[in-house]
Amino acid sequence: MTGSERRVIRNEADLAVLLTSVGAACRRAQIPDRETARALTVISELGRNILKYAGRGHMAVDLHLAPPRRIDIEAMDTGPGIADIQAALQDHYSTGGTLGLGLPGVKRLVDHLEIRSSPGTGTIVKARRWLP
């Protein structure tokens, strides 16, 4: 990853390649370990949501190193969508038999979170974290 990475997410291996690439780019850019861990957790959660609920999708990660430094993460799929976004952002709400901590956790880890979704059309999640 040089500053941007786009990847189709079809399986855990695709997600692992993305996580490895972003982690290496953050280390090269001397992003603090804590910030790198936050970004990788967000990517992992959003990628696993794609796999669990849509089966496949796309992720884009942009690392902006010129001030203001930030990392932008976008997850897109054409799955069943999220019927109630506000409920999905509440701890322990789940339609998939999980603990329901993924999206609420993502929300806590980023500075800006935008979710667009409609039942039957898919979901786009955009997350931004400002970097020191």
Side-chain angles (χ1 to χ4, degrees), residues 57 83 103 119:
L103 280 178

Side-chain angles (χ1 to χ4, degrees), residues 28-50:
R28 281 191 306 274
Q30 299 180 344
I31 304 297
D33 290 345
R34 181 177 175 159
E35 294 300 328
T36 299
R38 282 177 183 252
L40 295 178
T41 299
V42 169
I43 293 165
S44 178
E45 287 293 337
L46 295 178
R48 284 191 172 77
N49 279 355
I50 286 172

Side-chain angles (χ1 to χ4, degrees), residues 23-24 31 36 39 43 51 63 70 72 74 85 94 97 106-107 124:
I31 304 297
T36 299
I43 293 165
L51 294 173
L63 187 58
R70 69 184 189 276
D72 291 325
E74 185 174 49
I85 293 170
S94 175
V106 165
K107 183 179 175 184
I124 299 172

Side-chain angles (χ1 to χ4, degrees), residues 48-118:
R48 284 191 172 77
N49 279 355
I50 286 172
L51 294 173
K52 180 169 184 60
Y53 296 104
R56 70 176 279 146
H58 297 83
M59 291 193 74
V61 180
D62 294 301
L63 187 58
H64 302 271
L65 299 176
R69 291 170 27 119
R70 69 184 189 276
I71 187 165
D72 291 325
I73 301 163
E74 185 174 49
M76 303 148 280
D77 67 62
T78 56
I82 301 171
D84 187 340
I85 293 170
Q86 292 308 315
L89 289 169
Q90 300 301 311
D91 285 335
H92 307 295
Y93 176 85
S94 175
T95 59
T98 64
L99 294 175
L101 298 174
L103 280 178
V106 165
K107 183 179 175 184
R108 285 189 285 273
L109 290 171
V110 299
D111 296 307
H112 174 76
L113 182 67
E114 176 185 334
I115 302 174
R116 289 184 281 147
S117 186
S118 298

